[in-house]
Amino acid sequence: MIGPRFPVVLKAAAGGDGDAFGMLWCDLQPRLLRYFRVAAGGAGEDLASETWLRVVRGIGRFHGNEPAFRAWVFTIARHQVLDWRRRAARTPTQDLPVVGLAEPAASDDPAAAAVEGASTRAALALIATLPADQAEAIALRVVAGLEVSRVAEVMGKRPGTVRVLTHRGLRRLAERLGADARVRRVG
């Protein structure tokens, strides 16, 4: 999160300051890509680009704090996913597998960064196996870091429904992970 400087950064970005917009992009782009990985598989990079184009076009009209900005960006992202799904339903195509996710710059420990990246990809792939609503609720709550009320706004659902979807999805993931652990112990 950008924190207390957010209002200044937002105003500068809305005024065309590339460095300020870059701060917003660096803060949200990895989370967007992870969300798209869960919600849209291999189309994430393209959907992220389309999302940022819409953000650029509308940033001057946005008013609100940093959590509201995140929710606004993820609402745009969700609309991109819904449009992508509609297009895919009309014209079936085969997505190419995603080789990797855009990650922040390398840390001081490349081995630790590699393990963390593999773990992140594995976790996102596991989340993506859930029913679409559950996967999306978990991605928005956990990956994007949005509050339940914001996720409800983004998904067009009631907060209670978001809590139930998240709970059921996490329970399903825990069951799958427990089953995998039991298979490894037996095998």
Side-chain angles (χ1 to χ4, degrees):
M1 292 191 77
I2 295 170
R5 301 179 324 194
F6 178 78
V8 173
V9 172
L10 178 65
K11 185 175 181 179
D17 183 325
D19 290 336
F21 192 84
M23 286 180 68
L24 297 173
W25 185 87
C26 286
D27 180 52
L28 287 175
Q29 178 70 356
R31 294 172 194 261
L32 271 176
L33 291 175
R34 289 180 180 122
Y35 166 72
F36 286 132
R37 167 86 180 208
V38 170
E45 291 282 339
D46 292 337
L47 293 174
S49 297
E50 290 296 322
T51 298
W52 284 111
L53 284 173
R54 290 181 188 262
V55 168
V56 167
R57 291 180 189 135
I59 197 168
R61 294 184 306 273
F62 174 81
H63 298 288
N65 60 16
E66 189 168 5
F69 180 76
R70 285 175 179 262
W72 179 67
V73 171
F74 277 93
T75 298
I76 294 170
R78 183 166 194 267
H79 290 150
Q80 293 297 340
V81 169
L82 295 175
D83 291 346
W84 173 78
R85 287 179 183 160
R86 283 185 206 108
R87 285 190 305 271
R90 285 192 307 260
T91 313
T93 60
Q94 184 177 3
D95 291 332
L96 297 175
V98 175
V99 178
L101 296 172
E103 296 290 336
S107 65
D108 292 334
D109 184 0
V115 169
E116 183 179 328
S119 297
T120 300
R121 284 189 295 279
L124 294 174
L126 187 59
I127 292 168
T129 66
L130 294 171
D133 278 354
Q134 291 176 10
E136 187 170 21
I138 290 172
L140 291 169
R141 279 286 290 135
V142 178
V143 177
L146 299 178
E147 296 177 9
V148 169
S149 60
R150 299 288 185 186
V151 174
E153 290 173 22
V154 170
M155 292 182 71
K157 299 191 180 299
R158 294 187 323 259
T161 303
V162 170
R163 284 187 197 94
V164 169
L165 288 169
T166 303
H167 175 76
R168 287 181 180 166
L170 291 173
R171 188 177 65 215
R172 187 172 273 172
L173 289 173
E175 290 169 359
R176 287 181 186 171
L177 290 172
D180 288 348
R182 286 190 297 274
V183 168
R184 277 183 259 147
R185 280 192 298 251
V186 173

